[in-house]
Amino acid sequence: MPSPVLGKNQYNNHWNQDKPDGRQVCVHAFIGKLADGSIATYQTLPWNHRGWHGGSGSKGSVNDTHISFEICEDGLTDAAYFNAVYKEATELCAYLCKEYKLDPMADDVIIGHYEGHKRGIASNHADPGHWFPKHGKSMDTFRAEVKKLLSAIEAPTSTDPKKLYRVQVGAYSVKANADAMLKKVKAAGFKDAFIKYS
């Protein structure tokens, strides 16, 4: 069923309809601009459901092996839009690699449609090879950025140095008053409390 948040395009071959261009196709998600101008991922199939998105080749079908998403294109020249959807796509792939314990740098884990065609598992289609280079990116830079994000997600936090925050409870010109306060805070359970002379 079409969604009201997915946009339409001028050619009326958008995927927010039954059988775009007369084809029976469905990706797992779309990345693009919502009506309010924000960039988002819109999931259209469960991640573990077989999609019908990449066609096939002499060695099988990418539909049987890969999760797919479509990055909605603009005129291919808006750097701000490209950077926003590219970032969203790397974050989605990092999430999926973590979820399914995949190495984004391993062969055949993250591929563009055109790479699937070269491997004999997808139809002949240029995405995203016709767009990424216009903004200085490639599938190799994409995979490297996903790896970097995934490494940050998986980095152990227990090795971070422990931070200590000290709380001063008063400053006294009479030592007896300082001693009285120290006695109170130690009685309250603060065993490491101390008096510092300046």
Side-chain angles (χ1 to χ4, degrees):
M1 179 174 174
S3 165
V5 300
L6 295 177
K8 296 181 178 183
N9 67 29
Q10 63 184 334
Y11 307 109
N12 201 32
N13 62 357
H14 54 86
W15 290 33
N16 192 20
Q17 59 184 311
D18 182 39
K19 298 182 184 172
D21 273 350
R23 300 171 298 146
Q24 290 184 319
V25 289
C26 190
V27 291
H28 292 86
F30 288 87
I31 294 174
K33 190 182 290 186
L34 300 181
D36 66 2
S38 63
I39 300 300
T41 299
Y42 190 91
Q43 187 175 351
T44 50
L45 289 174
W47 301 126
N48 62 356
H49 188 85
R50 182 188 185 277
W52 49 105
H53 48 80
S56 61
S58 61
K59 296 181 181 173
S61 176
V62 70
N63 296 341
D64 297 329
T65 55
H66 286 75
I67 292 170
S68 69
F69 58 89
E70 186 78 18
I71 303 174
C72 299
E73 298 173 2
D74 61 351
L76 307 182
T77 58
D78 183 341
Y81 176 75
F82 174 81
N83 289 330
V85 293
Y86 182 87
K87 179 178 183 289
E88 182 80 9
T90 59
E91 290 171 356
L92 173 61
C93 285
Y95 163 78
L96 292 169
C97 285
K98 181 178 186 300
E99 184 74 12
Y100 293 101
K101 299 176 178 42
L102 299 170
D103 177 359
M105 300 304 288
D107 186 48
D108 203 35
V109 170
I110 298 176
I111 60 172
H113 197 133
Y114 75 95
E115 291 175 314
H117 175 67
K118 286 180 181 178
R119 292 169 183 267
I121 57 172
S123 61
N124 190 5
H125 195 64
D127 281 346
H130 68 296
W131 189 14
F132 280 18
K134 292 178 185 289
H135 298 281
K137 302 293 185 182
S138 68
M139 284 306 299
D140 289 335
T141 62
F142 185 87
R143 286 183 279 265
E145 289 178 42
V146 172
K147 178 68 174 176
K148 184 177 176 182
L149 284 172
L150 187 59
S151 296
I153 292 169
E154 294 177 340
T157 55
S158 59
T159 59
D160 293 343
K162 187 175 181 181
K163 293 181 181 179
L164 297 175
Y165 300 93
R166 301 195 186 277
V167 178
Q168 181 177 334
V169 293
Y172 303 91
S173 58
V174 177
K175 184 173 183 317
N177 292 341
D179 289 338
M181 178 55 76
L182 180 62
K183 186 175 180 181
K184 282 182 185 177
V185 294
K186 284 195 172 189
F190 298 97
K191 304 297 180 196
D192 294 333
F194 61 91
I195 294 176
K196 181 179 179 182
Y197 300 98
S198 60

